[in-house]
Coordinates of all heavy atoms in Angstrom, one line a residue:
G1 N 131.5 76.2 98.9 CA 130.5 77.3 98.9 C 129.3 76.9 98.2 O 129.2 76.5 97.1
L2 N 128.2 77.0 98.9 CA 126.9 76.8 98.4 C 126.2 78.1 98.2 O 126.4 79.1 98.9 CB 126.0 76.0 99.4 CG 126.5 74.6 99.7 CD1 125.7 74.0 100.9 CD2 126.4 73.7 98.5
A3 N 125.2 78.1 97.3 CA 124.4 79.3 97.0 C 123.1 79.2 97.8 O 122.6 78.1 98.0 CB 124.1 79.4 95.5
Y4 N 122.7 80.4 98.3 CA 121.5 80.4 99.1 C 120.5 81.4 98.4 O 120.9 82.5 98.1 CB 121.7 80.8 100.5 CG 122.5 79.8 101.3 CD1 123.9 79.8 101.2 CD2 121.9 78.9 102.1 CE1 124.6 78.8 101.9 CE2 122.6 78.0 102.8 CZ 124.0 77.9 102.7 OH 124.7 77.0 103.4
N5 N 119.2 81.0 98.3 CA 118.2 82.0 97.8 C 117.7 82.7 98.9 O 117.2 82.1 99.9 CB 117.1 81.2 97.1 CG 117.4 80.6 95.8 OD1 118.2 81.2 95.0 ND2 117.0 79.4 95.5
M6 N 117.7 84.0 98.8 CA 117.2 84.9 99.9 C 115.8 85.4 99.4 O 115.7 86.0 98.3 CB 118.0 86.1 100.1 CG 117.6 87.1 101.1 SD 117.8 86.4 102.8 CE 119.5 86.9 103.1
C7 N 114.7 84.9 100.0 CA 113.4 85.2 99.5 C 112.4 85.1 100.7 O 112.7 84.6 101.8 CB 113.0 84.2 98.4 SG 112.9 82.5 99.0
N8 N 111.2 85.7 100.4 CA 110.1 85.6 101.3 C 108.9 85.1 100.4 O 108.4 85.9 99.6 CB 109.8 86.9 101.9 CG 108.6 86.8 102.9 OD1 107.9 85.9 102.9 ND2 108.5 87.8 103.7
N9 N 108.6 83.9 100.4 CA 107.6 83.3 99.5 C 106.2 83.9 99.7 O 105.4 83.8 98.8 CB 107.5 81.8 99.6 CG 108.8 81.1 99.2 OD1 109.5 80.7 100.0 ND2 109.0 81.1 97.9
G10 N 106.0 84.6 100.8 CA 104.8 85.3 101.0 C 104.7 86.7 100.6 O 103.8 87.4 100.9
A11 N 105.7 87.2 99.9 CA 105.8 88.6 99.6 C 106.0 88.9 98.2 O 106.7 89.7 97.8 CB 107.0 89.2 100.4
Y12 N 105.2 88.2 97.3 CA 105.3 88.4 95.9 C 104.4 89.6 95.5 O 103.3 89.8 96.0 CB 104.8 87.2 95.1 CG 104.7 87.4 93.7 CD1 105.8 87.4 92.9 CD2 103.5 87.7 93.1 CE1 105.8 87.7 91.5 CE2 103.4 88.0 91.7 CZ 104.5 88.0 91.0 OH 104.4 88.3 89.7
C13 N 104.9 90.4 94.5 CA 104.0 91.3 93.8 C 104.6 91.6 92.5 O 105.7 91.4 92.2 CB 103.8 92.6 94.6 SG 105.2 93.8 94.5
G14 N 103.7 92.0 91.5 CA 104.2 92.3 90.2 C 104.8 93.7 90.1 O 104.8 94.5 91.1
I15 N 105.4 94.0 89.0 CA 106.1 95.3 88.7 C 105.1 96.4 88.9 O 105.4 97.4 89.5 CB 106.8 95.3 87.4 CG1 107.8 94.2 87.3 CG2 107.3 96.7 87.0 CD1 109.0 94.5 88.3
A16 N 103.9 96.3 88.3 CA 102.9 97.5 88.4 C 102.5 97.7 89.9 O 102.4 98.8 90.3 CB 101.7 97.2 87.5
E17 N 102.3 96.6 90.6 CA 101.9 96.7 92.0 C 103.1 97.3 92.8 O 102.8 98.2 93.7 CB 101.6 95.3 92.6 CG 101.0 95.3 93.9 CD 100.7 93.9 94.4 OE1 100.8 93.0 93.7 OE2 100.3 93.9 95.6
L18 N 104.3 96.9 92.5 CA 105.4 97.5 93.2 C 105.6 99.0 92.9 O 105.9 99.8 93.8 CB 106.7 96.8 92.8 CG 108.0 97.3 93.4 CD1 108.0 97.2 94.9 CD2 109.2 96.5 92.8
A19 N 105.4 99.4 91.7 CA 105.5 100.8 91.3 C 104.5 101.6 92.0 O 104.8 102.7 92.6 CB 105.3 100.9 89.8
E20 N 103.2 101.1 92.1 CA 102.2 101.8 92.8 C 102.5 101.9 94.4 O 102.2 102.9 95.0 CB 100.8 101.1 92.6 CG 100.2 101.3 91.3 CD 99.8 102.7 90.9 OE1 99.8 103.6 91.8 OE2 99.6 103.0 89.7
M21 N 103.0 100.8 94.9 CA 103.4 100.8 96.3 C 104.5 101.9 96.6 O 104.4 102.6 97.6 CB 104.0 99.4 96.7 CG 104.4 99.4 98.1 SD 105.4 97.9 98.6 CE 104.7 96.6 97.7
L22 N 105.5 101.9 95.7 CA 106.6 102.9 96.0 C 106.0 104.4 95.8 O 106.4 105.2 96.5 CB 107.7 102.7 95.0 CG 108.5 101.4 95.3 CD1 109.5 101.1 94.1 CD2 109.2 101.5 96.6
R23 N 105.1 104.6 94.8 CA 104.5 105.9 94.7 C 103.8 106.3 95.9 O 103.9 107.4 96.4 CB 103.5 105.9 93.5 CG 103.0 107.2 93.2 CD 102.0 107.1 92.0 NE 100.8 106.3 92.3 CZ 99.8 106.6 93.1 NH1 99.8 107.9 93.6 NH2 98.8 105.8 93.3
G24 N 103.1 105.3 96.6 CA 102.3 105.6 97.8 C 103.2 105.8 99.0 O 102.9 106.6 99.9
L25 N 104.4 105.1 99.0 CA 105.3 105.3 100.1 C 106.0 106.6 100.2 O 106.4 107.1 101.3 CB 106.4 104.2 100.1 CG 106.0 102.8 100.5 CD1 107.0 101.8 100.2 CD2 105.7 102.8 102.0
F26 N 106.2 107.2 99.0 CA 106.9 108.5 98.9 C 106.1 109.6 98.1 O 106.6 110.0 97.1 CB 108.3 108.2 98.2 CG 109.1 107.2 99.0 CD1 109.1 105.9 98.6 CD2 109.8 107.6 100.1 CE1 109.8 105.0 99.3 CE2 110.6 106.7 100.8 CZ 110.6 105.3 100.4
P27 N 105.0 110.0 98.6 CA 104.1 110.9 97.9 C 104.9 112.3 97.7 O 104.6 113.0 96.7 CB 102.9 111.1 98.8 CG 103.3 110.6 100.1 CD 104.4 109.6 99.9
E28 N 105.8 112.6 98.6 CA 106.5 113.9 98.5 C 107.4 113.9 97.2 O 107.8 115.0 96.8 CB 107.4 114.1 99.7 CG 108.6 113.2 99.9 CD 108.3 111.8 100.5 OE1 107.1 111.4 100.7 OE2 109.2 111.1 100.8
K29 N 107.7 112.7 96.6 CA 108.6 112.7 95.4 C 107.8 113.0 94.1 O 108.4 113.2 93.1 CB 109.2 111.3 95.3 CG 110.2 111.0 96.4 CD 111.4 111.9 96.4 CE 112.4 111.6 97.5 NZ 113.4 112.7 97.6
G30 N 106.4 113.0 94.3 CA 105.6 113.3 93.1 C 105.7 112.2 92.0 O 105.6 112.5 90.8
L31 N 106.0 111.0 92.4 CA 106.2 109.9 91.4 C 104.8 109.6 90.7 O 103.8 109.7 91.2 CB 106.6 108.6 92.0 CG 107.9 108.7 92.8 CD1 108.2 107.5 93.6 CD2 109.1 109.0 91.9
R32 N 104.9 109.2 89.4 CA 103.8 108.8 88.6 C 104.1 107.5 87.9 O 105.2 107.2 87.7 CB 103.5 109.9 87.5 CG 103.0 111.1 88.1 CD 102.6 112.2 87.0 NE 103.9 112.7 86.6 CZ 104.2 113.1 85.3 NH1 103.2 113.1 84.4 NH2 105.3 113.6 85.0
V33 N 103.0 106.7 87.8 CA 103.2 105.4 87.2 C 102.4 105.4 85.9 O 101.2 105.8 85.8 CB 102.6 104.2 88.1 CG1 102.6 102.9 87.4 CG2 103.3 104.2 89.4
A34 N 103.1 105.1 84.8 CA 102.5 105.1 83.5 C 102.5 103.7 83.0 O 103.5 103.0 83.0 CB 103.3 106.0 82.5
R35 N 101.4 103.3 82.5 CA 101.3 101.9 81.9 C 101.0 102.1 80.4 O 100.1 102.8 80.0 CB 100.1 101.2 82.5 CG 100.3 100.9 84.0 CD 99.2 100.2 84.5 NE 99.4 100.0 86.0 CZ 98.6 99.2 86.7 NH1 97.7 98.5 86.2 NH2 98.9 99.1 88.0
L36 N 101.9 101.5 79.6 CA 101.8 101.6 78.2 C 101.5 100.3 77.6 O 102.0 99.2 78.1 CB 103.2 102.0 77.6 CG 103.8 103.4 78.2 CD1 105.1 103.6 77.6 CD2 102.8 104.5 77.9
G37 N 100.6 100.3 76.6 CA 100.2 99.0 76.0 C 99.3 98.2 76.9 O 98.4 98.8 77.5
R38 N 99.4 96.9 76.9 CA 98.5 96.1 77.7 C 98.7 96.4 79.1 O 99.7 96.8 79.6 CB 98.8 94.6 77.4 CG 98.5 94.2 76.0 CD 98.6 92.7 75.8 NE 99.6 92.0 76.6 CZ 99.7 90.7 76.7 NH1 99.1 90.0 75.8 NH2 100.6 90.2 77.5
A39 N 97.6 96.1 79.9 CA 97.7 96.3 81.3 C 98.7 95.3 81.9 O 98.9 94.2 81.4 CB 96.3 95.9 81.9
A40 N 99.4 95.7 82.9 CA 100.5 94.9 83.5 C 99.9 93.5 84.0 O 100.6 92.6 83.9 CB 101.1 95.6 84.7
D41 N 98.7 93.5 84.5 CA 98.1 92.2 84.9 C 98.0 91.2 83.8 O 98.0 90.0 84.0 CB 96.8 92.5 85.6 CG 96.9 93.3 86.8 OD1 98.0 93.4 87.4 OD2 95.9 93.9 87.2
D42 N 97.9 91.7 82.6 CA 97.7 90.8 81.5 C 99.1 90.3 80.9 O 99.2 89.3 80.1 CB 97.0 91.5 80.3 CG 95.6 91.8 80.6 OD1 95.0 91.2 81.5 OD2 95.1 92.8 80.0
A43 N 100.2 90.9 81.3 CA 101.5 90.6 80.8 C 102.0 89.2 81.2 O 102.8 88.7 80.4 CB 102.5 91.7 81.2
Y44 N 101.6 88.7 82.3 CA 102.1 87.4 82.8 C 101.0 86.5 83.1 O 100.0 86.9 83.7 CB 103.0 87.6 84.1 CG 104.2 88.4 83.8 CD1 104.3 89.7 84.2 CD2 105.3 87.8 83.2 CE1 105.4 90.5 83.9 CE2 106.5 88.6 83.0 CZ 106.5 89.9 83.4 OH 107.6 90.6 83.1
S45 N 101.1 85.3 82.7 CA 100.1 84.3 82.9 C 100.1 83.9 84.4 O 101.1 84.1 85.1 CB 100.3 83.1 82.0 OG 101.4 82.4 82.4
E46 N 99.1 83.3 84.9 CA 99.1 82.8 86.2 C 100.2 81.7 86.4 O 100.8 81.6 87.5 CB 97.7 82.1 86.6 CG 97.5 81.8 88.0 CD 97.7 82.9 89.0 OE1 97.3 84.0 88.7 OE2 98.2 82.7 90.1
D47 N 100.5 80.9 85.3 CA 101.6 79.9 85.4 C 102.9 80.6 85.7 O 103.7 80.1 86.5 CB 101.7 79.1 84.1 CG 100.5 78.3 83.9 OD1 99.8 77.9 84.9 OD2 100.2 77.9 82.7
R48 N 103.2 81.7 85.1 CA 104.5 82.4 85.4 C 104.5 82.9 86.8 O 105.5 82.8 87.5 CB 104.7 83.6 84.4 CG 105.9 84.3 84.7 CD 106.4 85.1 83.5 NE 107.5 85.9 83.9 CZ 108.8 85.7 83.7 NH1 109.1 84.6 82.9 NH2 109.7 86.4 84.1
T49 N 103.4 83.4 87.3 CA 103.4 83.9 88.7 C 103.6 82.7 89.7 O 104.4 82.8 90.6 CB 102.0 84.5 89.0 OG1 101.8 85.6 88.1 CG2 101.9 85.0 90.5
A50 N 103.0 81.6 89.3 CA 103.2 80.4 90.2 C 104.7 80.0 90.2 O 105.3 79.6 91.2 CB 102.4 79.2 89.7
D51 N 105.4 80.1 89.0 CA 106.8 79.7 88.9 C 107.7 80.7 89.8 O 108.6 80.2 90.5 CB 107.3 79.8 87.5 CG 106.8 78.7 86.6 OD1 106.3 77.6 87.2 OD2 106.8 78.8 85.4
I52 N 107.4 81.9 89.7 CA 108.1 82.9 90.5 C 108.0 82.6 92.0 O 109.0 82.8 92.8 CB 107.6 84.3 90.2 CG1 108.0 84.7 88.8 CG2 108.2 85.4 91.2 CD1 107.4 86.0 88.3
R53 N 106.9 82.2 92.5 CA 106.6 82.0 93.9 C 107.3 80.7 94.4 O 107.3 80.4 95.5 CB 105.1 81.9 94.1 CG 104.4 83.2 94.0 CD 103.0 83.1 94.4 NE 102.4 84.4 94.1 CZ 101.1 84.7 94.3 NH1 100.4 83.8 94.9 NH2 100.7 85.8 94.1
R54 N 107.8 79.9 93.4 CA 108.4 78.6 93.8 C 109.9 78.7 94.1 O 110.6 77.7 94.1 CB 108.2 77.6 92.7 CG 106.8 76.9 92.9 CD 106.7 75.8 91.9 NE 105.7 76.3 91.0 CZ 105.4 75.8 89.8 NH1 106.1 74.8 89.3 NH2 104.4 76.3 89.1
V55 N 110.5 79.9 94.3 CA 111.9 80.0 94.6 C 112.1 79.3 95.9 O 111.4 79.4 96.9 CB 112.3 81.5 94.8 CG1 113.7 81.7 95.2 CG2 112.0 82.3 93.5
D56 N 113.1 78.4 95.9 CA 113.4 77.6 97.0 C 114.4 78.2 98.0 O 115.6 78.4 97.6 CB 113.9 76.2 96.5 CG 114.2 75.2 97.6 OD1 113.8 75.5 98.8 OD2 114.8 74.2 97.3
C57 N 113.9 78.6 99.1 CA 114.8 79.1 100.2 C 115.0 78.2 101.4 O 115.4 78.6 102.4 CB 114.4 80.5 100.6 SG 112.8 80.5 101.3
S58 N 114.7 76.9 101.1 CA 114.8 75.9 102.2 C 116.2 75.7 102.8 O 116.3 75.5 103.9 CB 114.2 74.5 101.7 OG 115.0 74.0 100.7
R59 N 117.2 75.9 102.0 CA 118.6 75.8 102.5 C 118.8 76.8 103.5 O 119.4 76.6 104.6 CB 119.6 75.8 101.3 CG 121.0 75.5 101.8 CD 122.0 75.6 100.6 NE 121.7 74.5 99.7 CZ 122.0 74.5 98.4 NH1 122.5 75.6 97.9 NH2 121.7 73.5 97.6
L60 N 118.5 78.1 103.2 CA 118.6 79.2 104.2 C 117.8 79.0 105.4 O 118.2 79.2 106.5 CB 118.3 80.5 103.4 CG 118.7 81.8 104.1 CD1 120.2 81.8 104.4 CD2 118.2 83.0 103.3
R61 N 116.5 78.6 105.2 CA 115.6 78.3 106.3 C 116.2 77.2 107.2 O 116.0 77.2 108.4 CB 114.2 77.9 105.8 CG 113.5 79.1 105.3 CD 112.1 78.7 104.8 NE 111.3 79.9 104.4 CZ 110.6 80.6 105.2 NH1 110.5 80.3 106.5 NH2 109.9 81.6 104.8
G62 N 116.9 76.3 106.6 CA 117.6 75.2 107.3 C 118.6 75.7 108.3 O 118.9 75.0 109.3
L63 N 119.1 76.9 108.0 CA 120.1 77.5 109.0 C 119.4 78.3 110.1 O 120.0 78.9 110.9 CB 121.0 78.5 108.2 CG 121.9 77.8 107.1 CD1 122.7 78.9 106.4 CD2 122.9 76.8 107.8
G64 N 118.1 78.3 110.0 CA 117.3 79.1 111.0 C 116.8 80.5 110.6 O 116.2 81.1 111.3
W65 N 117.1 80.9 109.3 CA 116.7 82.1 108.9 C 115.2 82.2 108.6 O 114.6 81.2 108.1 CB 117.5 82.5 107.5 CG 117.1 83.9 107.0 CD1 117.6 85.1 107.4 CD2 116.1 84.1 106.0 NE1 117.0 86.0 106.7 CE2 116.1 85.5 105.8 CE3 115.2 83.3 105.3 CZ2 115.2 86.1 105.0 CZ3 114.3 84.0 104.4 CH2 114.4 85.4 104.3
R66 N 114.6 83.3 109.0 CA 113.2 83.5 108.7 C 113.0 84.9 108.3 O 113.6 85.8 108.9 CB 112.3 83.2 109.9 CG 112.4 81.8 110.4 CD 111.6 80.8 109.5 NE 111.7 79.5 110.0 CZ 112.6 78.5 109.7 NH1 113.6 78.9 109.0 NH2 112.5 77.3 110.2
P67 N 112.1 85.3 107.3 CA 111.9 86.7 106.9 C 111.2 87.4 108.1 O 110.3 86.8 108.7 CB 111.0 86.6 105.7 CG 110.4 85.2 105.7 CD 111.4 84.3 106.5
R68 N 111.6 88.6 108.4 CA 111.1 89.4 109.5 C 110.5 90.7 109.0 O 109.8 91.4 109.8 CB 112.1 89.7 110.6 CG 112.6 88.5 111.3 CD 113.6 88.8 112.4 NE 114.7 89.5 111.8 CZ 115.8 90.0 112.4 NH1 115.9 89.8 113.7 NH2 116.8 90.6 111.8
V69 N 110.8 91.0 107.8 CA 110.3 92.3 107.2 C 109.5 92.0 106.0 O 109.8 91.2 105.1 CB 111.5 93.2 106.8 CG1 111.1 94.4 106.1 CG2 112.4 93.4 108.0
G70 N 108.3 92.6 105.9 CA 107.4 92.5 104.8 C 107.9 93.2 103.5 O 108.8 94.0 103.6
L71 N 107.2 93.0 102.5 CA 107.6 93.7 101.2 C 107.6 95.2 101.3 O 108.5 95.9 100.9 CB 106.7 93.2 100.1 CG 107.0 93.6 98.7 CD1 108.3 93.0 98.2 CD2 105.9 93.1 97.7
R72 N 106.5 95.7 101.8 CA 106.3 97.2 101.8 C 107.4 97.8 102.7 O 108.1 98.8 102.3 CB 104.9 97.5 102.4 CG 104.6 99.0 102.4 CD 103.2 99.2 102.9 NE 102.9 100.6 103.1 CZ 102.4 101.4 102.1 NH1 102.2 100.9 100.9 NH2 102.2 102.7 102.3
E73 N 107.6 97.3 103.9 CA 108.6 97.8 104.8 C 110.0 97.7 104.3 O 110.9 98.5 104.4 CB 108.5 97.1 106.2 CG 109.5 97.7 107.2 CD 109.5 97.0 108.5 OE1 108.6 96.2 108.8 OE2 110.4 97.3 109.3
G74 N 110.3 96.5 103.6 CA 111.6 96.3 103.1 C 112.0 97.3 102.0 O 113.1 97.8 102.0
F75 N 111.0 97.5 101.1 CA 111.3 98.5 100.0 C 111.4 99.9 100.6 O 112.2 100.7 100.1 CB 110.2 98.4 98.9 CG 110.6 97.4 97.8 CD1 110.0 96.2 97.9 CD2 111.6 97.7 96.9 CE1 110.4 95.2 97.0 CE2 111.9 96.7 96.0 CZ 111.4 95.5 96.0
E76 N 110.6 100.2 101.6 CA 110.7 101.6 102.2 C 112.0 101.8 102.8 O 112.7 102.8 102.6 CB 109.5 101.8 103.2 CG 109.6 103.2 103.8 CD 108.4 103.4 104.8 OE1 107.8 102.5 105.2 OE2 108.2 104.6 105.0
R77 N 112.5 100.8 103.6 CA 113.8 100.9 104.2 C 114.9 101.0 103.2 O 115.8 101.8 103.3 CB 114.1 99.6 105.0 CG 113.4 99.5 106.3 CD 113.8 98.2 106.9 NE 113.2 98.0 108.2 CZ 113.6 97.0 109.1 NH1 114.6 96.2 108.7 NH2 113.0 96.8 110.2
T78 N 114.8 100.2 102.1 CA 115.8 100.2 101.0 C 115.9 101.6 100.4 O 117.0 102.2 100.3 CB 115.6 99.2 100.0 OG1 115.6 97.9 100.6 CG2 116.6 99.2 98.9
V79 N 114.8 102.1 100.0 CA 114.8 103.4 99.3 C 115.3 104.5 100.3 O 116.0 105.4 99.9 CB 113.4 103.7 98.8 CG1 113.3 105.2 98.2 CG2 113.0 102.8 97.6
R80 N 114.8 104.5 101.5 CA 115.2 105.6 102.5 C 116.7 105.5 102.7 O 117.4 106.5 102.8 CB 114.5 105.4 103.8 CG 113.0 105.8 103.7 CD 112.4 106.1 105.0 NE 110.9 106.3 104.9 CZ 110.4 107.5 104.4 NH1 111.1 108.5 104.0 NH2 109.1 107.6 104.3
S81 N 117.3 104.3 102.7 CA 118.7 104.2 102.9 C 119.5 104.8 101.7 O 120.5 105.5 101.9 CB 119.2 102.7 103.1 OG 119.1 102.0 102.0
F82 N 119.0 104.6 100.5 CA 119.6 105.3 99.3 C 119.5 106.8 99.4 O 120.4 107.5 99.1 CB 119.0 104.7 98.0 CG 119.5 103.4 97.7 CD1 118.6 102.3 97.6 CD2 120.9 103.1 97.4 CE1 119.1 101.0 97.3 CE2 121.3 101.8 97.1 CZ 120.4 100.8 97.0
L83 N 118.3 107.2 99.8 CA 118.0 108.7 99.9 C 118.9 109.4 100.9 O 119.3 110.5 100.8 CB 116.5 108.9 100.1 CG 115.6 108.5 99.0 CD1 114.1 108.7 99.5 CD2 115.8 109.4 97.8
E84 N 119.2 108.6 102.0 CA 120.0 109.1 103.1 C 121.5 109.0 102.9 O 122.3 109.4 103.6 CB 119.6 108.5 104.4 CG 118.2 108.8 104.8 CD 117.7 107.9 106.0 OE1 118.5 107.1 106.5 OE2 116.5 108.1 106.4
G85 N 121.8 108.3 101.8 CA 123.2 108.1 101.4 C 124.0 107.1 102.2 O 125.2 107.2 102.4
R86 N 123.3 106.1 102.8 CA 124.0 105.1 103.6 C 124.6 104.0 102.8 O 124.1 103.7 101.8 CB 123.1 104.5 104.6 CG 122.8 105.4 105.8 CD 122.1 104.7 106.9 NE 120.9 105.3 107.2 CZ 119.9 104.7 107.9 NH1 120.0 103.4 108.1 NH2 118.9 105.4 108.3

């Protein structure tokens, strides 16, 4: 058994950006995003962001797998499936 990284190297976003995206996807939920302390953009250096983007999914791509769903659509599908109880 080998381990495979499931990722889309072109779909990175930070936690604050993800929270804002989810708030926008589901306005009917009345979600609010609160930022305490330093701005989220200051929390991680550019070096850390670069490290996160280097997740290696070449083994999975070698099997022919390619991402077909973007970040926004993927999170929307995931949340809707939980809300619908699937």
Side-chain angles (χ1 to χ4, degrees):
L2 298 173
Y4 292 84
N5 288 321
M6 181 73 85
C7 64
N8 181 345
N9 294 106
Y12 172 80
C13 79
I15 296 297
E17 187 180 356
L18 177 60
E20 290 293 345
M21 179 194 319
L22 290 172
R23 186 182 62 76
L25 284 170
F26 301 97
E28 71 278 7
K29 296 293 182 189
L31 302 173
R32 290 181 284 149
V33 176
R35 295 182 184 189
L36 306 175
R38 293 187 334 174
D41 295 339
D42 295 336
Y44 296 100
S45 70
E46 188 61 35
D47 291 338
R48 177 156 173 108
T49 301
D51 287 342
I52 291 169
R53 290 184 186 181
R54 279 186 245 163
V55 174
D56 182 11
C57 59
S58 62
R59 189 178 294 152
L60 191 60
R61 286 180 177 270
L63 296 175
W65 180 86
R66 300 287 182 269
R68 295 183 300 182
V69 175
L71 186 65
R72 184 179 176 88
E73 182 183 350
F75 274 100
E76 182 175 18
R77 284 182 180 188
T78 300
V79 171
R80 287 199 188 283
S81 73
F82 284 118
L83 293 174
E84 294 168 3
R86 287 195 231 158

